[in-house]
Amino acid sequence: MTTQLRFLLNDQEVALSQVGASDTLLDHLRIARRLRGTKEGCAEGDCGACTVLLGRPTEGGLVYEPINACIRLLASCHGCHVVTVEHLQGPDGGLHPVQAAMVEHHGSQCGFCTPGIVMALYGLWMTKPDASATDIEIALQGNICRCTGYEPIITAALAAGRAGGQAADALMHERDAVAARLAAMPAGRVDLDRDGDRAIIPADADDLAQVLLDEPKATLVAGATDVGLWVTKFMRNISPAIFIGHLMKSVQVVDEELHIGAGVTYSEAAPLIRQHIPAAYDYWLRIGGWQVRNMGTIGANIANGSPIGDTPPLLIALGARIVLRRGDQRRELPLQDYFIDYGKQDRQLAEFVETVIIPTRPDAIVAAYKVSKRRDSDITAVAAAFCLTVRDGIIEDARVAFGGMAATPKRAARAEAALQGQPMAQATFEAAARAVADDFTPMSDMRASADYRARVAQNLFRRFWLEQSEPGLPVRLTETLGA
């Protein structure tokens, strides 16, 4: 066990003993290191002005991803490489190709958001040199710019891709050396304590199980896309906090089921979703922005029990199961049974989600929808997922789950009954749309009124039918959502 937090910051090694559970990476960069190119805009992982790259060791080598420094808690950077905009430069020591393209194509006006945009585009430029305009738009989902309208930014990103130069980039040709420096850092559990404010980084999943037995009421922190806001918005004391985002990364495909470790991020899971559940891939890309998908984990999205979490409706519709662990004991249960009531889940003290098992349902018709005020990087008002097995024109099995409609993510039992055993026909889905009104009593809040949610839920059955009856049919948003 060690009592020092260690990571690389640009080209320097950092070793810190006085680190609290709630310390953010952004504050460390701006206050302690005076690296003020990284901005604070929203302090909730929404605007992208604080974007930096985080390089983390994986089985396949060092992976660099844009993340939100404002909600990235400092302790979770242990053993990683943090890269800020100050570290960027071209081969001649001048502007980096991404920066040069932003200047040439007038991609910046007020400039406040520019460093974060540059870092997001830098991450894309490194990993996908031939990125299309669509790829760029997805990469910029988590970056808000109120000046440019994005067109010059996209033009700049395309130009940077054409300019190339990845082979000469510092993060490319120094990658082996950086990986070696990270590997040389002491292994084992890290226990940080600043005047009773504790942050614990377990060595592995077995160590996590033991730490939780010792500290059963500790706060578990995976990607901090929720916990980060507890700190920045609610000033909540999360000590002692156990940081687990580096754990439970295994992925296996067994008998048409995905066995995914709870620590797998949305971005890490995205290729699996695209390959094995392609109908849900677009929905998956609606989860947060790129930075959030690089941080948030599937297990944590389930474990926190939010009624508006993006993954549970889809996973419940697919019939997912979870493995819960306490010490050396494990138990498996259907995901839908994990959610008991608002803020209450079937999880014992010192128990944690270890694995998520997702049937891929290759013979089923699968669809998932997210309705939110803003298309990208927004919190869900209503989410719905459909998984139907149809044989000879008859619906043999129907699983439909909603988020945002009740105190928990929940199946639409009456609507399912209206579909079960009925012909795959418009009248069947009209009946299901009427039945879903008896499945839920939604609430009104800042995201949507109860009436709006109820109408959306009904119209999503109609949308599903239209998409299945005429594949490729362009469905107008006002027709399907009742707006």
Side-chain angles (χ1 to χ4, degrees):
M1 186 176 72
T2 179
T3 57
Q4 277 196 328
L5 177 70
R6 290 180 177 271
F7 61 95
L8 294 180
L9 174 56
N10 294 330
D11 57 357
Q12 297 181 348
E13 184 168 338
V14 176
L16 302 170
S17 298
Q18 296 295 305
V19 177
S22 300
D23 292 354
T24 67
L25 173 58
L26 179 62
D27 283 349
H28 181 75
L29 295 176
R30 291 184 57 83
I31 298 170
R33 301 292 167 174
R34 303 183 72 82
L35 294 171
R36 294 175 179 166
T38 308
K39 308 298 185 185
E40 179 175 323
C42 64
E44 59 186 32
D46 194 30
C47 74
C50 66
T51 301
V52 299
L53 288 194
L54 190 76
R56 53 187 181 83
T58 70
E59 289 185 0
L62 201 57
V63 173
Y64 286 91
E65 296 170 317
I67 57 102
N68 296 118
C70 68
I71 55 172
R72 184 79 184 200
L73 300 181
L74 187 60
S76 67
C77 296
H78 182 71
C80 297
H81 183 200
V82 177
V83 182
T84 71
V85 70
E86 288 86 356
H87 196 55
L88 269 64
Q89 61 178 350
D92 59 355
L95 291 178
H96 187 275
V98 173
Q99 294 171 312
M102 287 283 284
V103 172
E104 181 180 356
H105 295 280
H106 308 286
S108 177
Q109 288 190 32
C110 82
F112 188 86
C113 65
T114 301
I117 288 173
V118 165
M119 294 307 290
L121 294 181
Y122 179 35
L124 181 66
W125 177 85
M126 276 203 305
T127 56
K128 201 165 190 178
D130 58 346
S132 66
T134 299
D135 295 326
I136 294 163
E137 289 174 358
I138 292 171
L140 292 174
Q141 284 174 320
N143 292 86
I144 293 176
C145 176
R146 303 192 185 279
C147 299
T148 67
Y150 292 94
E151 188 64 30
I153 298 172
I154 294 172
T155 302
L158 291 168
R162 291 192 297 269
Q166 285 82 0
D169 187 74
L171 290 192
M172 299 297 283
H173 70 76
E174 294 176 0
R175 188 160 299 202
D176 290 343
V178 169
R181 292 177 70 183
L182 295 177
M185 293 179 179
R189 183 192 303 181
V190 180
D191 198 329
L192 305 166
D193 191 332
R194 187 185 63 203
D195 300 325
D197 187 5
R198 292 184 64 205
I200 305 165
I201 308 168
D204 52 32
D206 292 337
D207 192 31
L208 165 61
Q210 183 58 54
V211 173
L212 262 182
L213 290 175
D214 297 336
E215 300 281 354
K217 295 185 179 181
T219 305
L220 289 179
V221 183
T225 56
D226 275 333
V227 176
L229 273 68
W230 299 357
V231 171
T232 62
K233 296 299 183 181
F234 303 110
M235 309 303 173
R236 190 181 301 179
N237 178 13
I238 64 170
S239 175
I242 305 173
F243 290 82
I244 62 172
H246 60 300
L247 304 178
M248 298 174 286
K249 293 288 189 179
S250 64
V251 173
Q252 293 180 306
V253 182
V254 182
D255 297 330
E256 296 186 337
E257 290 186 327
L258 303 178
H259 291 236
I260 298 180
V264 173
T265 66
Y266 306 124
S267 290
E268 289 171 327
L272 292 167
I273 299 299
R274 187 172 194 173
Q275 180 181 355
H276 296 283
I277 317 172
Y281 183 64
D282 287 344
Y283 177 85
W284 203 261
L285 296 183
R286 295 280 309 280
I287 299 174
W290 190 20
Q291 295 91 328
V292 167
R293 291 195 297 275
N294 291 335
M295 294 170 60
T297 68
I298 298 173
N301 195 235
I302 291 169
N304 68 13
S306 170
I308 53 172
D310 286 315
T311 64
L314 172 62
L315 301 184
I316 289 172
L318 292 170
R321 310 183 304 280
I322 59 173
V323 177
L324 292 160
R325 177 176 178 181
R326 184 181 189 275
D328 293 330
Q329 303 298 312
R330 292 175 173 87
R331 63 187 177 104
E332 183 179 304
L333 75 159
L335 176 58
Q336 67 185 49
D337 295 341
Y338 173 75
F339 304 102
I340 298 172
D341 202 346
Y342 183 79
K344 184 179 182 182
Q345 299 85 44
D346 183 1
R347 190 175 72 247
Q348 301 169 10
L349 201 63
E351 196 171 40
F352 61 96
V353 178
E354 185 177 47
T355 307
V356 183
I357 303 169
I358 309 171
T360 58
R361 306 278 183 176
D363 297 329
I365 301 171
V366 175
Y369 307 106
K370 172 173 176 170
V371 179
S372 54
K373 287 186 175 181
R374 188 175 66 215
R375 174 174 172 78
D376 292 321
S377 194
D378 202 1
I379 295 173
T380 297
V382 176
F386 295 74
C387 182
L388 273 62
T389 302
V390 181
R391 300 195 191 284
D392 300 324
I394 301 298
I395 301 171
E396 289 189 349
D397 184 54
R399 297 178 63 93
V400 184
F402 279 85
M405 293 290 291
T408 67
K410 185 180 175 183
R411 289 176 66 177
R414 290 179 176 85
E416 288 179 350
L419 296 171
Q420 201 90 16
Q422 298 301 310
M424 186 74 174
Q426 182 174 0
T428 299
F429 287 89
E430 286 294 339
R434 292 190 296 271
V436 79
D438 296 323
D439 277 314
F440 303 105
T441 305
M443 63 177 289
S444 295
D445 60 20
M446 62 181 291
R447 296 182 187 93
S449 68
D451 180 67
Y452 179 81
R453 284 188 162 104
R455 180 176 293 192
V456 164
Q458 292 180 319
N459 283 333
L460 287 175
F461 283 88
R462 300 182 178 110
R463 175 173 179 170
F464 178 82
W465 161 250
L466 287 171
E467 291 179 346
Q468 300 308 317
S469 61
E470 298 187 50
L473 176 72
V475 181
R476 290 176 56 198
L477 196 63
T478 53
E479 292 172 346
T480 59
L481 304 186

